[in-house]
């Protein structure tokens, strides 16, 4: 709770965490996420219930973040109840090209991550298959989000297509769209690495 126009909170997780920062106010609120240099990483206005904000983000270990909140109205004062939660069941495993994994979720709202480091330039598609609504994410090695997708695949499945740099680590994340659902769905990282070619040669 606060009575000023802007309130900030600092957190430095000791391990990688998928967090949700949100308010439960009866008024319209806004939420912000910054790095230690106060560069904005995320912002939300009405992503939570009612007119409350809600920010979901994957934080790197031993990295300081600043969480901020305020009323949408610049003339309002009072208090904003805020909460910071983490999915402790979030896990990371390695994935290879053209392999299918079963992403299992035993805790509500959990995220699952897959790590991949291509040895050469790779054109990939990361997608889910199943009967439920899913969301997919792509992060760089610092766990900064590169892109995300909700319903780009068949039905309500996600689908992300991206060109990965050689010898660079990436993280692919996925979860159910519903924060109350548990269960499983399949994910696949499909694609191929760049092929070598010589001068004055023909390729099919």
């Amino acid at each position: 709770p606060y009575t000023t126009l802007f309130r900030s909170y600092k957190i430095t997780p000791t391990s990688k965490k998928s967090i949700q920062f949100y308010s439960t106010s009866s008024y319209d609120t806004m939420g912000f996420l910054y790095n230690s240099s106060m560069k904005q990483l995320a912002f939300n206005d009405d992503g939570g219930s009612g007119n409350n904000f809600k920010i979901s983000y994957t934080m790197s270990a031993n990295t300081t973040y600043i969480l901020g909140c305020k009323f949408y109205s610049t003339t309002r004062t009072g208090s904003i109840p805020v909460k910071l939660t983490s999915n402790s069941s979030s896990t990371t495993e390695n994935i290879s090209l053209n392999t299918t994994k079963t992403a299992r979720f035993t805790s509500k709202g959990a995220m699952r991550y897959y790590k991949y480091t291509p040895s050469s330039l790779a054109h990939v598609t990361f997608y889910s298959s199943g009967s439920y609504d899913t969301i997919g994410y792509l992060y760089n090695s610092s766990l900064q989000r590169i892109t995300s997708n909700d319903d780009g695949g068949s039905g309500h499945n996600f689908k992300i297509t991206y060109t990965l740099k050689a010898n660079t680590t990436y993280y692919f994340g996925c979860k159910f769209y519903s924060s109350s659902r548990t269960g499983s769905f399949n994910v696949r990282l499909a694609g191929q690495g760049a092929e070598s070619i010589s001068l004055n040669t023909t390729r099919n």
Side-chain angles (χ1 to χ4, degrees):
Y2 73 101
T3 56
T4 58
L5 291 180
F6 184 86
R7 179 94 180 187
S8 61
Y9 306 89
K10 183 172 74 171
I11 180 173
T12 306
T14 57
S15 62
K16 184 176 70 173
K17 290 186 180 296
S18 175
I19 62 95
Q20 296 80 43
F21 176 55
Y22 58 94
S23 64
T24 57
S25 173
S26 57
Y27 300 109
D28 196 351
T29 62
M30 303 167 69
F32 307 82
L33 174 64
Y34 304 92
N35 63 15
S36 58
S37 300
M38 292 306 292
K39 177 183 177 182
Q40 185 171 300
L41 304 175
F43 160 79
N44 184 260
D45 182 6
D46 298 327
S49 61
N51 292 319
N52 285 279
F53 73 82
K54 182 177 181 180
I55 292 176
S56 298
Y57 196 82
T58 302
M59 294 183 168
S60 301
N62 304 311
T63 302
T64 297
Y65 298 88
I66 307 297
L67 301 159
C69 63
K70 69 176 183 177
F71 288 112
Y72 179 85
S73 171
T74 58
T75 60
R76 184 172 297 284
T77 60
S79 63
I80 299 178
V82 296
K83 191 169 184 178
L84 179 65
T85 62
S86 173
N87 294 320
S88 58
S89 61
S90 299
T91 56
T92 302
E93 64 178 293
N94 293 327
I95 193 170
S96 302
L97 278 183
N98 302 312
T99 62
T100 299
K101 297 277 190 176
T102 299
R104 293 184 174 86
F105 303 87
T106 57
S107 298
K108 297 177 181 179
M111 281 273 290
R112 192 157 188 101
Y113 300 92
Y114 299 92
K115 181 181 177 181
Y116 180 61
T117 306
S119 58
S120 65
L121 187 75
H123 310 284
V124 304
T125 300
F126 180 59
Y127 62 95
S128 65
S129 58
S131 57
Y132 299 112
D133 196 352
T134 61
I135 304 179
Y137 304 87
L138 173 61
Y139 303 91
N140 63 16
S141 59
S142 300
L143 286 171
Q144 294 176 323
R145 187 186 299 180
I146 297 173
T147 188
S148 63
N149 182 261
D150 182 5
D151 297 327
S154 61
H156 292 292
N157 287 278
F158 70 80
K159 183 179 181 180
I160 293 174
T161 299
Y162 200 81
T163 300
L164 309 180
K165 296 179 181 179
N167 303 311
T168 302
T169 297
Y170 296 87
Y171 291 92
F172 295 88
C174 61
K175 67 176 183 177
F176 285 110
Y177 178 84
S178 171
S179 60
S180 62
R181 185 174 296 284
T182 59
S184 64
F185 56 83
N186 288 334
V187 295
R188 184 175 178 85
L189 182 63
Q192 61 183 16
E195 182 181 1
S196 298
I197 191 170
S198 303
L199 288 177
N200 303 315
T201 59
T202 300
R203 295 283 187 178
N204 292 323

